[in-house]
């Protein structure tokens, strides 16, 4: 929250405000900010006091950005946009809703389970109202199976793609880790529900780790909520790419597709 100012002055003003919210020197980070629009996101986060507005502040260490840019440039690519992954996740879901004609204010949680971390984006309609990262993910699930079977983690990754008769044993090995991840996610749900008096109605999961058979069922039992593996290409007209070419792995594209969707507004 901050005093209401013209949008043209917002970025400069945030350079003075940011040191209240970020644990680094302002000169070490790249900052961006956006006024939260009236309506879904604003209402969900609580009404601003008179003379105040709510602002989304994003900050990233400059050296981290430079590492990513250098990597892309080294293979002949020129980055156009740099974004935060769980905001891209929300963009992908908004694009999916628009494509399918879904326009409501239901509260849904997006959970993207990557290799090293899990992104949580709780959305009210098409507005993000709560964001969090949990530093547990697919690598922890792989390590749990590797210890149980005495296998190399690289071999376990192959087993995860085609578990065959080892499915139930692998699920048993993963369950304690998945319960730990689920417990952290559930804490986020509880915080949101207590803060804004809005219950999460359903959970949409994505990321490479959710492709393992039965992950959605296991998480549904942990959350006691409907859980769905969602396809970010659903509802899109795709002409130059065959969705089947991903071998059913479309849910792993959510963040990438959300980042690409930013180009619509350029």
């Amino acid at each position: 929250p901050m005093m209401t100012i013209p949008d043209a002055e917002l970025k400069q003003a945030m350079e003075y405000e940011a040191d209240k919210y970020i644990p680094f020197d302002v000169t070490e980070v790249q900052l961006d900010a956006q006024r939260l629009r009236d309506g879904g996101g604003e209402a969900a986060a609580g009404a601003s006091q008179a003379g105040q507005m709510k602002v989304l502040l994003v900050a990233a260490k400059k050296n981290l950005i430079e590492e990513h840019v250098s990597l892309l440039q080294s293979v002949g690519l020129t980055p156009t946009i740099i974004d935060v992954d769980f905001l891209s996740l929300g963009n992908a879901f908004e694009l999916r809703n628009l494509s399918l004609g879904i326009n409501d204010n239901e509260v849904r949680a997006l959970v993207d389970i990557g290799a090293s971390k899990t992104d949580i984006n709780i959305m009210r309609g098409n507005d993000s109202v709560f964001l969090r990262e949990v530093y547990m993910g697919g690598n922890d699930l792989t390590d749990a199976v590797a210890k149980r079977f005495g296998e190399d983690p690289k071999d376990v990754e192959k087993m995860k793609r085609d578990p065959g008769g080892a499915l139930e044993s692998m699920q048993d090995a993963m369950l304690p880790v998945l319960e730990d991840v689920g417990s952290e996610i559930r804490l986020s749900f509880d915080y949101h529900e207590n803060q804004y008096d809005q219950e999460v109605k359903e959970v949409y999961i994505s990321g490479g780790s959710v492709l393992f058979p039965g992950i959605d069922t296991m998480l549904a039992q942990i959350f006691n909520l409907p859980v769905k593996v969602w396809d970010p290409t659903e509802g899109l007209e795709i002409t130059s790419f065959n969705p089947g070419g991903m071998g059913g792995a479309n849910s792993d594209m959510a963040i990438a597709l959300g980042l690409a969707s930013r180009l619509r507004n350029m």
Side-chain angles (χ1 to χ4, degrees):
M2 61 181 295
M3 298 301 294
T4 300
I5 59 172
D7 288 344
E9 301 174 14
L10 178 58
K11 230 173 159 182
Q12 183 177 4
M14 288 314 304
E15 293 181 4
Y16 297 99
E17 293 279 333
D19 59 358
K20 300 177 184 176
Y21 304 104
I22 60 175
F24 307 109
D25 190 289
V26 173
T27 60
E28 298 178 9
V29 300
Q30 182 71 44
L31 294 173
D32 203 354
Q34 179 175 314
R35 183 199 301 261
L36 292 180
R37 63 188 177 190
D38 294 333
E42 183 79 10
S48 298
Q49 296 179 4
Q52 286 196 331
M53 62 182 186
K54 286 186 177 293
V55 174
L56 174 67
L57 168 67
V58 176
K61 292 290 290 288
K62 288 180 179 177
N63 58 4
L64 180 63
I65 294 176
E66 289 165 359
E67 288 174 6
H68 282 68
V69 170
S70 296
L71 176 63
L72 291 169
Q73 291 175 337
S74 71
V75 294
L77 298 174
T78 302
T80 302
I81 294 172
I82 296 176
D83 205 349
V84 180
D85 47 11
F86 43 46
L87 293 179
S88 294
L89 181 63
N91 287 342
F93 197 73
E94 179 182 4
L95 180 62
R96 174 249 187 200
N97 287 348
L98 292 173
S99 300
L100 296 177
I102 298 173
N103 184 19
D104 58 33
N105 285 320
E106 288 293 320
V107 178
R108 304 176 178 91
L110 310 181
V111 175
D112 189 271
I113 305 177
S116 59
K117 68 184 180 73
T118 297
D119 291 323
I120 305 165
N121 185 336
I122 298 178
M123 301 189 71
R124 182 175 183 266
N126 290 327
D127 293 307
S128 298
V129 294
F130 180 90
L131 304 166
R132 185 187 173 205
E133 293 175 324
V134 175
Y135 281 88
M136 291 185 284
N139 291 343
D140 299 286
L141 297 173
T142 298
D143 291 344
V145 175
K147 290 178 182 177
R148 172 72 67 89
F149 287 84
E151 297 281 352
D152 186 282
K154 293 181 180 178
D155 294 328
V156 172
E157 287 295 337
K158 297 177 183 178
M159 293 170 63
K160 285 167 68 176
R161 290 192 289 270
D162 185 17
L167 176 60
E168 289 189 11
S169 297
M170 292 178 70
Q171 288 176 336
D172 289 343
M174 291 180 181
L175 184 58
V177 176
L178 205 58
E179 286 177 336
D180 288 342
V181 176
S183 177
E184 287 296 321
I185 296 171
R186 183 72 253 186
L187 285 174
S188 297
F189 294 175
D190 292 342
Y191 174 84
H192 171 269
E193 290 168 3
N194 291 332
Q195 191 80 5
Y196 305 127
D197 194 28
Q198 296 173 335
E199 292 186 3
V200 174
K201 298 296 185 182
E202 51 189 349
V203 182
Y204 286 74
I205 59 175
S206 59
S209 297
V210 308
L211 301 176
F212 182 78
I215 287 286
D216 53 343
T217 302
M218 296 165 75
L219 286 173
Q221 293 173 346
I222 292 170
F223 298 146
N224 195 27
L225 286 169
V227 173
K228 177 183 178 181
V229 179
W230 68 287
D231 178 358
T233 67
E234 184 181 12
L236 299 182
E237 292 185 18
I238 301 175
T239 56
S240 60
F241 169 72
N242 175 14
M246 286 292 289
N250 293 0
S251 65
D252 197 16
M253 298 172 58
I255 289 176
L257 194 147
L259 179 58
S261 73
R262 287 279 301 274
L263 296 173
R264 293 178 303 143
N265 301 319
M266 294 190 64

